[in-house]
Amino acid sequence: MAASIQDYFHTQFNAAPAVIARAPGRLEFIGNHLDYNGGPVLGAAIDRYVSVAVAARADERVVLVSEAQEDRVETSLEIISPASGATSWGNYPLGMLKVMRDAGMRARHGFNLAVSNDLPIGAGLSSSAAIELATGYALAALYGFAIDRKGIAMLGRAAENTFVGMPCGILDQGCSAFGKAGALVLIDCAVNDFSTRPLPAGTHFWVFNTQKKHALIDSFYATRNRECMESAEILRRADAALPNLAAATEAQVEVARDALGLARYKRALHVVRETARVRDTLEALDRGDARRTGANLTASHESSRTLFENSCGELDFLVERVTALPGVFGARLSGGGFGGAVMAFTDSSFSREAAGRLVADYAARFGNAPAIFHAQTGDGAGVLSRA
Ligand code: GLA
């Protein structure tokens, strides 16, 4: 690893970068799969970042390198299309370039771009949103375009949806853009409104990453998204004005139970109840009530397990064990599910020793140890320096 992103850029391109930008990873606090359903979600930026350094080239070439990837990506401004295989990591920065261009922000010449992470990749902390946002800020500064926080979050999501091909919502990009140390990010996904809420003092996040990724994870995610859209359509037969699934009531879902069928009924019930849980959590946070907040987190996991059916044995084991330990307010799967990470919300007494014992139990059961990460909240994405 190079000592700094400047050094790394220099070793790769034999020149100094013109701009350095960075964007943080995120934790999903509560509001599982509510973002693309128009619900409220709470997340946080963590103080681990993806950094991107760029400099203009005299030609039309686009060259991307990453400290975490063996393969460099080389293309030209004229040929921006998604790759598969070893260079597919480049789809995140290239996707950003493409959606910026579609929005009228055209790169005037090629560029060299280097990526470095102190954010673990594939740990359920959304390094993909971070690389999108860091790239977006770096290129905007390089070519002289202004983008605000909301703009960068929306572009990042568009890159993911239209270029990477992942039908995600705005949670990851919104938290990476609007994060603030000591705060949670609240996103009203019905109207893309972003704000922050203070975290109760003395609370902590511990992340247990199973390092398990279901081979079909992307298709599972897309299936859940489709089931939710179909559920909203079915509910609209009785209420044409229903804006999205998160706006439905439990009574509406019950009335439509037969029309929905079992799977869609369960997905819809999760979305409606999870929406109520986020609202209750906001009230609890206003009172500084970490216990009530934690209980909602654990209830959210239970709903993901039984209704949204995006959990797995490894995540359930971690939630069950960690919530039995002293100092833990609650725990849940954080992110898309089907593998990935569990987040525990704790007081200051929860220790690495306690986490270590849990990991040993997990390893005895599943054969590998999850990675433990004591996450601190951090500030959102932005430009760090320009020459
Ligand atoms: C992933 C997606 C987000 C969100 C969560 C589930 O992290 O990228 O948009 O849907 O899953 O809440």
Side-chain angles (χ1 to χ4, degrees), residues 288-299:
D289 187 343
R291 276 186 196 291
R292 175 75 191 182
T293 300
N296 282 338
L297 301 182
T298 308

Side-chain angles (χ1 to χ4, degrees), residues 11 23 40 55 61 76 103 113 129 139 169 187 203 232 240 248 259 267-268 271 290 327 329 378:
T11 60
R61 306 288 302 160
S76 93
L113 181 151
L139 292 182
I187 311 175
T203 54
R267 312 303 178 241
V271 167
F329 296 120

Side-chain angles (χ1 to χ4, degrees), residues 207-227:
V207 179
F208 300 87
N209 176 24
T210 63
Q211 312 191 67
K212 183 186 160 184
K213 194 172 163 144
H214 198 289
L216 296 175
I217 188 162
D218 291 347
S219 73
F220 280 145
Y221 188 94
T223 302
R224 289 293 175 276
N225 184 313
R226 199 193 61 240
E227 288 168 338

Side-chain angles (χ1 to χ4, degrees), residues 26 28 31-33 35-36 166 168-169 172 221 335-336:
R26 68 94 186 92
E28 175 185 296
N32 197 228
H33 286 255
D35 55 2
Y36 57 82
M166 157 76 171
C168 66
D172 307 343
Y221 188 94

Side-chain angles (χ1 to χ4, degrees), residues 30 40 42 273-287 289 291-297:
I30 191 167
L42 278 165
R273 290 183 181 166
E274 183 79 346
T275 299
R277 255 188 303 273
V278 177
R279 299 203 197 292
D280 187 79
T281 302
L282 286 168
E283 285 173 25
L285 287 168
D286 278 349
R287 299 190 304 270
D289 187 343
R291 276 186 196 291
R292 175 75 191 182
T293 300
N296 282 338
L297 301 182

